[in-house]
Amino acid sequence: MILGIGTDLANIERIERTLERFGDRFRNRVFTETEQRKAERRRDVAGTYAKRWAAKEACSKALGTGLRMGIAWRDMAVTNLPTGQPVMQLTGWAADRLKDMTPEGYEAIIHVTLTDDHPWAQAFVVIEARKLS
């Protein structure tokens, strides 16, 4: 069963200007250390950050909250499997919200996909509940 769906479209050039203007203050407020390490070693630094920004926005929408109700940017983190597939990891209030919205006898699975085509970065997040065996 689908518990939530979210999408977001981010402008890479806007993220690039924000990085130039606020630097580490912006990075540290929004992105985990793992996300920062990944972005900083990529050729398209701003595009990598923009995709993760969009994923966090999309995830907050899928959680049914948007970025309010105590959810923090860093409570949602995009990492990658060895295959390169992006995965969303939740901590803090975001993890609590996911637990609360998951029916008893089910486990929540978060699906995330990212794409970019300059100047746009886009993310989709689907939260699925699978019946436990």
Side-chain angles (χ1 to χ4, degrees):
M1 106 181 48
I2 303 298
L3 298 178
I5 300 172
T7 185
D8 192 65
L9 185 65
N11 185 286
I12 296 169
E13 293 169 356
R14 178 175 167 245
I15 297 297
E16 187 171 38
R17 287 191 303 271
T18 303
L19 287 164
E20 290 169 0
R21 183 171 178 197
F22 297 105
D24 285 342
R25 195 169 109 201
F26 172 67
R27 282 181 194 88
N28 294 332
R29 179 174 166 250
V30 176
F31 302 100
T32 65
E33 289 179 24
T34 301
E35 289 173 312
Q36 291 180 47
R37 278 193 307 274
K38 171 104 176 165
E40 295 299 326
R41 68 176 185 254
R42 301 293 296 268
R43 189 168 36 121
D44 183 10
V45 173
T48 302
Y49 279 122
K51 285 187 280 192
R52 279 147 181 77
W53 170 279
K56 291 167 187 270
E57 286 274 6
C59 185
S60 71
K61 293 170 186 175
L63 289 169
T65 64
L67 286 161
R68 58 181 173 86
M69 295 175 55
I71 200 165
W73 286 104
R74 292 171 55 105
D75 284 347
M76 301 168 288
V78 178
T79 59
N80 296 85
L81 297 176
T83 60
Q85 177 184 350
V87 293
M88 181 69 68
Q89 297 178 333
L90 303 184
T91 58
W93 191 89
D96 294 342
R97 170 69 180 149
L98 180 62
K99 182 180 175 190
D100 290 345
M101 66 190 283
T102 304
E104 196 169 316
Y106 288 79
E107 66 175 330
I109 309 295
I110 302 173
H111 304 276
V112 60
T113 186
L114 309 172
T115 191
D116 65 295
D117 187 8
H118 195 86
W120 301 107
Q122 187 172 32
F124 287 95
V125 172
V126 175
I127 301 175
E128 172 190 10
R130 288 188 190 159
K131 195 153 187 75
L132 293 170
S133 306

